[in-house]
Protein backbone atom coordinates (compact mmCIF):
# COMPACT_ATOMS: atom_id res chain seq x y z
CA UNK A 1 0.00 0.00 0.00
CA UNK A 2 1.17 3.54 -0.65
CA UNK A 3 0.61 6.15 2.06
CA UNK A 4 0.76 9.85 1.30
CA UNK A 5 3.17 11.88 3.45
CA UNK A 6 2.82 15.57 4.41
CA UNK A 7 5.86 16.43 2.25
CA UNK A 8 3.82 15.36 -0.83
CA UNK A 9 5.65 12.08 -1.30
CA UNK A 10 4.43 8.50 -0.99
CA UNK A 11 5.69 5.75 1.25
CA UNK A 12 5.20 2.08 0.33
CA UNK A 13 4.17 -0.04 3.32
CA UNK A 14 3.32 -3.71 3.73
CA UNK A 15 0.01 -4.50 5.40
CA UNK A 16 0.23 -8.19 6.25
CA UNK A 17 -2.69 -7.99 8.67
CA UNK A 18 -5.28 -7.79 5.89
CA UNK A 19 -7.61 -10.78 5.87
CA UNK A 20 -6.23 -13.55 3.65
CA UNK A 21 -8.05 -14.09 0.35
CA UNK A 22 -10.23 -11.03 0.94
CA UNK A 23 -11.43 -8.59 -1.66
CA UNK A 24 -10.89 -5.05 -0.36
CA UNK A 25 -13.65 -2.70 -1.46
CA UNK A 26 -12.57 0.49 0.26
CA UNK A 27 -9.92 1.93 2.58
CA UNK A 28 -10.21 5.02 4.80
CA UNK A 29 -7.15 6.49 6.50
CA UNK A 30 -7.11 8.54 9.71
CA UNK A 31 -5.49 8.61 13.15
CA UNK A 32 -8.15 6.60 15.00
CA UNK A 33 -6.20 6.14 18.25
CA UNK A 34 -4.60 9.58 18.67
CA UNK A 35 -0.97 8.41 18.47
CA UNK A 36 -0.05 10.60 15.49
CA UNK A 37 0.25 7.67 13.05
CA UNK A 38 -2.11 7.00 10.17
CA UNK A 39 -4.42 4.04 10.85
CA UNK A 40 -6.63 2.29 8.30
CA UNK A 41 -10.22 1.11 8.10
CA UNK A 42 -10.79 -1.59 5.48
CA UNK A 43 -14.11 -2.73 3.98
CA UNK A 44 -13.80 -6.29 2.68
CA UNK A 45 -15.58 -9.39 1.44
CA UNK A 46 -14.01 -12.81 2.00
CA UNK A 47 -14.85 -16.50 1.79
CA UNK A 48 -13.89 -17.95 5.18
CA UNK A 49 -14.68 -21.44 6.47
CA UNK A 50 -17.17 -22.06 3.68
CA UNK A 51 -19.11 -18.83 4.28
CA UNK A 52 -19.09 -15.46 2.55
CA UNK A 53 -18.39 -12.69 5.05
CA UNK A 54 -18.22 -8.95 4.65
CA UNK A 55 -17.12 -6.40 7.16
CA UNK A 56 -14.87 -3.63 8.34
CA UNK A 57 -11.54 -4.07 10.08
CA UNK A 58 -9.60 -1.25 11.72
CA UNK A 59 -5.83 -1.59 11.36
CA UNK A 60 -4.00 0.47 13.96
CA UNK A 61 -0.47 1.48 12.98
CA UNK A 62 2.15 0.44 15.51
CA UNK A 63 5.85 1.38 15.86
CA UNK A 64 8.24 -0.54 13.64
CA UNK A 65 5.86 -0.78 10.69
CA UNK A 66 3.44 -3.22 12.29
CA UNK A 67 -0.35 -3.16 12.16
CA UNK A 68 -2.81 -4.37 14.78
CA UNK A 69 -6.11 -5.64 13.33
CA UNK A 70 -9.37 -4.98 15.19
CA UNK A 71 -12.57 -6.39 13.63
CA UNK A 72 -15.23 -3.68 13.81
CA UNK A 73 -18.15 -5.20 11.94
CA UNK A 74 -18.83 -8.53 10.18
CA UNK A 75 -21.86 -10.18 8.61
CA UNK A 76 -22.41 -13.43 6.76
CA UNK A 77 -23.20 -11.78 3.42
CA UNK A 78 -21.61 -10.64 0.18
CA UNK A 79 -23.58 -7.38 0.33
CA UNK A 80 -21.59 -5.85 3.18
CA UNK A 81 -19.65 -2.57 3.36
CA UNK A 82 -18.28 -1.32 0.04
CA UNK A 83 -17.49 2.33 0.84
CA UNK A 84 -15.92 4.05 3.84
CA UNK A 85 -15.53 7.64 4.97
CA UNK A 86 -14.04 9.16 8.09
CA UNK A 87 -14.54 12.46 9.88
CA UNK A 88 -15.46 13.98 13.22
CA UNK A 89 -19.24 13.59 13.25
CA UNK A 90 -19.81 14.66 16.85
CA UNK A 91 -17.38 17.58 17.01
CA UNK A 92 -15.45 15.97 19.88
CA UNK A 93 -12.06 15.77 18.14
CA UNK A 94 -12.26 11.98 17.58
CA UNK A 95 -12.36 10.35 14.14
CA UNK A 96 -15.60 8.52 13.39
CA UNK A 97 -16.30 6.08 10.57
CA UNK A 98 -19.21 5.69 8.14
CA UNK A 99 -19.67 2.58 5.99
CA UNK A 100 -22.17 2.05 3.20
CA UNK A 101 -23.15 -1.52 2.28
CA UNK A 102 -23.94 -2.96 -1.15
CA UNK A 103 -27.52 -3.40 0.14
CA UNK A 104 -27.84 0.36 0.73
CA UNK A 105 -27.49 0.32 4.52
CA UNK A 106 -25.43 3.00 6.25
CA UNK A 107 -23.40 2.01 9.29
CA UNK A 108 -22.10 4.74 11.61
CA UNK A 109 -19.32 4.03 14.12
CA UNK A 110 -18.45 6.75 16.63
CA UNK A 111 -14.79 6.78 17.66
CA UNK A 112 -13.49 7.32 21.18
CA UNK A 113 -10.07 8.61 20.06
CA UNK A 114 -8.32 5.52 21.46
CA UNK A 115 -8.96 3.18 18.52
CA UNK A 116 -12.35 1.83 19.61
CA UNK A 117 -15.76 2.56 18.14
CA UNK A 118 -19.42 2.37 19.16
CA UNK A 119 -21.97 1.60 16.50
CA UNK A 120 -24.76 4.15 16.24
CA UNK A 121 -28.35 2.98 15.79
CA UNK A 122 -29.37 2.07 12.25
CA UNK A 123 -30.39 5.08 10.23
CA UNK A 124 -33.77 5.63 8.66
CA UNK A 125 -33.97 4.39 5.09
CA UNK A 126 -35.69 6.47 2.43
CA UNK A 127 -37.00 5.35 -0.92
CA UNK A 128 -34.84 5.95 -3.98
CA UNK A 129 -35.47 9.23 -5.73
CA UNK A 130 -34.95 10.10 -9.39
CA UNK A 131 -31.54 11.40 -10.50
CA UNK A 132 -30.88 15.09 -9.81
CA UNK A 133 -33.92 15.47 -7.54
CA UNK A 134 -33.35 18.26 -4.98
CA UNK A 135 -32.74 17.10 -1.42
CA UNK A 136 -35.51 18.36 0.85
CA UNK A 137 -33.19 19.50 3.67
CA UNK A 138 -30.51 21.11 1.51
CA UNK A 139 -31.53 23.77 -1.02
CA UNK A 140 -28.02 23.93 -2.51
CA UNK A 141 -27.52 20.23 -3.17
CA UNK A 142 -28.87 17.83 -5.72
CA UNK A 143 -29.24 14.13 -5.14
CA UNK A 144 -28.36 11.36 -7.55
CA UNK A 145 -30.20 8.08 -7.90
CA UNK A 146 -29.74 5.76 -4.96
CA UNK A 147 -30.94 4.99 -1.48
CA UNK A 148 -30.97 7.94 0.91
CA UNK A 149 -30.12 7.83 4.58
CA UNK A 150 -30.19 10.66 7.08
CA UNK A 151 -28.91 10.83 10.62
CA UNK A 152 -28.36 13.70 13.00
CA UNK A 153 -25.64 13.64 15.60
CA UNK A 154 -24.94 16.60 17.87
CA UNK A 155 -23.48 18.88 15.21
CA UNK A 156 -23.50 17.00 11.91
CA UNK A 157 -25.89 15.74 9.32
CA UNK A 158 -24.88 12.62 7.42
CA UNK A 159 -26.19 12.22 3.89
CA UNK A 160 -25.24 9.05 2.09
CA UNK A 161 -25.98 8.34 -1.54
CA UNK A 162 -25.00 4.64 -1.89
CA UNK A 163 -21.22 5.00 -2.13
CA UNK A 164 -20.58 8.65 -1.34
CA UNK A 165 -20.91 9.45 2.37
CA UNK A 166 -20.91 13.17 2.98
CA UNK A 167 -20.95 15.13 6.20
CA UNK A 168 -22.52 18.57 5.98
Amino acid sequence: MNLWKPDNTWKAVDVNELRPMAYVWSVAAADFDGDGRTDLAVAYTSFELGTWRSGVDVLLSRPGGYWERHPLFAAATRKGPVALATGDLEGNGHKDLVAVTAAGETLVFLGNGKGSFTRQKTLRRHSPEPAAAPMSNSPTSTATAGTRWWSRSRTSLIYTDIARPTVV
Side-chain angles (χ1 to χ4, degrees), residues 129-146:
E129 299 172 17
M135 292 172 18
S136 61
N137 289 16
S138 179
T140 61
S141 300
T142 58
T144 57

PDB file of all heavy atoms in Angstrom, residues 129-146:
ATOM      1  N   GLU A 129     -34.872   8.102  -5.031  1.00  0.00           N
ATOM      2  CA  GLU A 129     -35.470   9.228  -5.727  1.00  0.00           C
ATOM      3  C   GLU A 129     -34.870   9.295  -7.123  1.00  0.00           C
ATOM      4  O   GLU A 129     -33.809   8.744  -7.371  1.00  0.00           O
ATOM      5  CB  GLU A 129     -35.148  10.525  -4.979  1.00  0.00           C
ATOM      6  CG  GLU A 129     -35.702  10.545  -3.578  1.00  0.00           C
ATOM      7  CD  GLU A 129     -35.209  11.753  -2.794  1.00  0.00           C
ATOM      8  OE1 GLU A 129     -34.720  12.705  -3.413  1.00  0.00           O
ATOM      9  OE2 GLU A 129     -35.303  11.725  -1.566  1.00  0.00           O
ATOM     10  N   PRO A 130     -35.515   9.995  -8.057  1.00  0.00           N
ATOM     11  CA  PRO A 130     -34.953  10.104  -9.394  1.00  0.00           C
ATOM     12  C   PRO A 130     -33.650  10.895  -9.383  1.00  0.00           C
ATOM     13  O   PRO A 130     -33.384  11.683  -8.478  1.00  0.00           O
ATOM     14  CB  PRO A 130     -36.023  10.839 -10.184  1.00  0.00           C
ATOM     15  CG  PRO A 130     -37.043  11.292  -9.212  1.00  0.00           C
ATOM     16  CD  PRO A 130     -36.800  10.633  -7.905  1.00  0.00           C
ATOM     17  N   ALA A 131     -32.827  10.694 -10.395  1.00  0.00           N
ATOM     18  CA  ALA A 131     -31.544  11.400 -10.503  1.00  0.00           C
ATOM     19  C   ALA A 131     -31.780  12.903 -10.516  1.00  0.00           C
ATOM     20  O   ALA A 131     -32.742  13.403 -11.081  1.00  0.00           O
ATOM     21  CB  ALA A 131     -30.820  10.969 -11.771  1.00  0.00           C
ATOM     22  N   ALA A 132     -30.893  13.631  -9.876  1.00  0.00           N
ATOM     23  CA  ALA A 132     -30.879  15.087  -9.815  1.00  0.00           C
ATOM     24  C   ALA A 132     -32.115  15.682  -9.146  1.00  0.00           C
ATOM     25  O   ALA A 132     -32.445  16.824  -9.364  1.00  0.00           O
ATOM     26  CB  ALA A 132     -30.690  15.694 -11.202  1.00  0.00           C
ATOM     27  N   ALA A 133     -32.797  14.926  -8.301  1.00  0.00           N
ATOM     28  CA  ALA A 133     -33.917  15.474  -7.538  1.00  0.00           C
ATOM     29  C   ALA A 133     -33.359  16.270  -6.372  1.00  0.00           C
ATOM     30  O   ALA A 133     -32.433  15.827  -5.704  1.00  0.00           O
ATOM     31  CB  ALA A 133     -34.803  14.352  -7.024  1.00  0.00           C
ATOM     32  N   PRO A 134     -33.871  17.475  -6.104  1.00  0.00           N
ATOM     33  CA  PRO A 134     -33.348  18.260  -4.981  1.00  0.00           C
ATOM     34  C   PRO A 134     -33.573  17.546  -3.648  1.00  0.00           C
ATOM     35  O   PRO A 134     -34.592  16.915  -3.447  1.00  0.00           O
ATOM     36  CB  PRO A 134     -34.164  19.557  -5.045  1.00  0.00           C
ATOM     37  CG  PRO A 134     -34.765  19.585  -6.400  1.00  0.00           C
ATOM     38  CD  PRO A 134     -34.912  18.160  -6.838  1.00  0.00           C
ATOM     39  N   MET A 135     -32.604  17.658  -2.761  1.00  0.00           N
ATOM     40  CA  MET A 135     -32.743  17.099  -1.416  1.00  0.00           C
ATOM     41  C   MET A 135     -33.598  18.048  -0.602  1.00  0.00           C
ATOM     42  O   MET A 135     -33.377  19.251  -0.613  1.00  0.00           O
ATOM     43  CB  MET A 135     -31.367  16.931  -0.761  1.00  0.00           C
ATOM     44  CG  MET A 135     -30.538  15.863  -1.415  1.00  0.00           C
ATOM     45  SD  MET A 135     -28.832  15.758  -0.849  1.00  0.00           S
ATOM     46  CE  MET A 135     -28.756  16.598   0.652  1.00  0.00           C
ATOM     47  N   SER A 136     -34.551  17.525   0.135  1.00  0.00           N
ATOM     48  CA  SER A 136     -35.508  18.364   0.848  1.00  0.00           C
ATOM     49  C   SER A 136     -34.860  19.207   1.943  1.00  0.00           C
ATOM     50  O   SER A 136     -35.320  20.294   2.222  1.00  0.00           O
ATOM     51  CB  SER A 136     -36.619  17.492   1.433  1.00  0.00           C
ATOM     52  OG  SER A 136     -36.063  16.570   2.348  1.00  0.00           O
ATOM     53  N   ASN A 137     -33.802  18.751   2.572  1.00  0.00           N
ATOM     54  CA  ASN A 137     -33.195  19.496   3.672  1.00  0.00           C
ATOM     55  C   ASN A 137     -31.998  20.339   3.234  1.00  0.00           C
ATOM     56  O   ASN A 137     -31.326  20.914   4.049  1.00  0.00           O
ATOM     57  CB  ASN A 137     -32.736  18.531   4.761  1.00  0.00           C
ATOM     58  CG  ASN A 137     -33.902  17.920   5.492  1.00  0.00           C
ATOM     59  OD1 ASN A 137     -35.021  17.979   5.023  1.00  0.00           O
ATOM     60  ND2 ASN A 137     -33.642  17.348   6.643  1.00  0.00           N
ATOM     61  N   SER A 138     -31.687  20.367   1.965  1.00  0.00           N
ATOM     62  CA  SER A 138     -30.512  21.106   1.510  1.00  0.00           C
ATOM     63  C   SER A 138     -30.817  21.789   0.184  1.00  0.00           C
ATOM     64  O   SER A 138     -30.747  21.171  -0.870  1.00  0.00           O
ATOM     65  CB  SER A 138     -29.321  20.153   1.353  1.00  0.00           C
ATOM     66  OG  SER A 138     -28.211  20.863   0.899  1.00  0.00           O
ATOM     67  N   PRO A 139     -31.138  23.085   0.207  1.00  0.00           N
ATOM     68  CA  PRO A 139     -31.529  23.770  -1.021  1.00  0.00           C
ATOM     69  C   PRO A 139     -30.387  23.906  -2.025  1.00  0.00           C
ATOM     70  O   PRO A 139     -30.626  24.158  -3.186  1.00  0.00           O
ATOM     71  CB  PRO A 139     -32.000  25.141  -0.525  1.00  0.00           C
ATOM     72  CG  PRO A 139     -31.329  25.325   0.777  1.00  0.00           C
ATOM     73  CD  PRO A 139     -31.178  23.949   1.359  1.00  0.00           C
ATOM     74  N   THR A 140     -29.140  23.737  -1.600  1.00  0.00           N
ATOM     75  CA  THR A 140     -28.018  23.934  -2.510  1.00  0.00           C
ATOM     76  C   THR A 140     -27.487  22.642  -3.091  1.00  0.00           C
ATOM     77  O   THR A 140     -26.593  22.665  -3.903  1.00  0.00           O
ATOM     78  CB  THR A 140     -26.857  24.643  -1.784  1.00  0.00           C
ATOM     79  OG1 THR A 140     -26.448  23.810  -0.702  1.00  0.00           O
ATOM     80  CG2 THR A 140     -27.272  25.999  -1.280  1.00  0.00           C
ATOM     81  N   SER A 141     -28.027  21.500  -2.691  1.00  0.00           N
ATOM     82  CA  SER A 141     -27.518  20.228  -3.167  1.00  0.00           C
ATOM     83  C   SER A 141     -28.523  19.547  -4.069  1.00  0.00           C
ATOM     84  O   SER A 141     -29.717  19.785  -3.990  1.00  0.00           O
ATOM     85  CB  SER A 141     -27.222  19.302  -1.981  1.00  0.00           C
ATOM     86  OG  SER A 141     -26.267  19.868  -1.144  1.00  0.00           O
ATOM     87  N   THR A 142     -28.004  18.696  -4.947  1.00  0.00           N
ATOM     88  CA  THR A 142     -28.872  17.830  -5.716  1.00  0.00           C
ATOM     89  C   THR A 142     -28.501  16.413  -5.386  1.00  0.00           C
ATOM     90  O   THR A 142     -27.355  16.104  -5.062  1.00  0.00           O
ATOM     91  CB  THR A 142     -28.727  18.063  -7.226  1.00  0.00           C
ATOM     92  OG1 THR A 142     -27.376  17.856  -7.581  1.00  0.00           O
ATOM     93  CG2 THR A 142     -29.184  19.451  -7.627  1.00  0.00           C
ATOM     94  N   ALA A 143     -29.468  15.532  -5.448  1.00  0.00           N
ATOM     95  CA  ALA A 143     -29.236  14.125  -5.139  1.00  0.00           C
ATOM     96  C   ALA A 143     -29.123  13.345  -6.430  1.00  0.00           C
ATOM     97  O   ALA A 143     -29.684  13.729  -7.445  1.00  0.00           O
ATOM     98  CB  ALA A 143     -30.395  13.582  -4.312  1.00  0.00           C
ATOM     99  N   THR A 144     -28.407  12.258  -6.410  1.00  0.00           N
ATOM    100  CA  THR A 144     -28.357  11.360  -7.548  1.00  0.00           C
ATOM    101  C   THR A 144     -29.124  10.110  -7.182  1.00  0.00           C
ATOM    102  O   THR A 144     -29.466   9.899  -6.031  1.00  0.00           O
ATOM    103  CB  THR A 144     -26.907  11.009  -7.906  1.00  0.00           C
ATOM    104  OG1 THR A 144     -26.291  10.454  -6.755  1.00  0.00           O
ATOM    105  CG2 THR A 144     -26.147  12.236  -8.355  1.00  0.00           C
ATOM    106  N   ALA A 145     -29.409   9.280  -8.161  1.00  0.00           N
ATOM    107  CA  ALA A 145     -30.205   8.082  -7.901  1.00  0.00           C
ATOM    108  C   ALA A 145     -29.530   7.212  -6.868  1.00  0.00           C
ATOM    109  O   ALA A 145     -28.322   7.057  -6.861  1.00  0.00           O
ATOM    110  CB  ALA A 145     -30.398   7.303  -9.187  1.00  0.00           C
ATOM    111  N   GLY A 146     -30.302   6.625  -5.987  1.00  0.00           N
ATOM    112  CA  GLY A 146     -29.744   5.759  -4.956  1.00  0.00           C
ATOM    113  C   GLY A 146     -30.615   5.776  -3.719  1.00  0.00           C
ATOM    114  O   GLY A 146     -31.627   6.457  -3.670  1.00  0.00           O
TER     115      GLY A 146
END
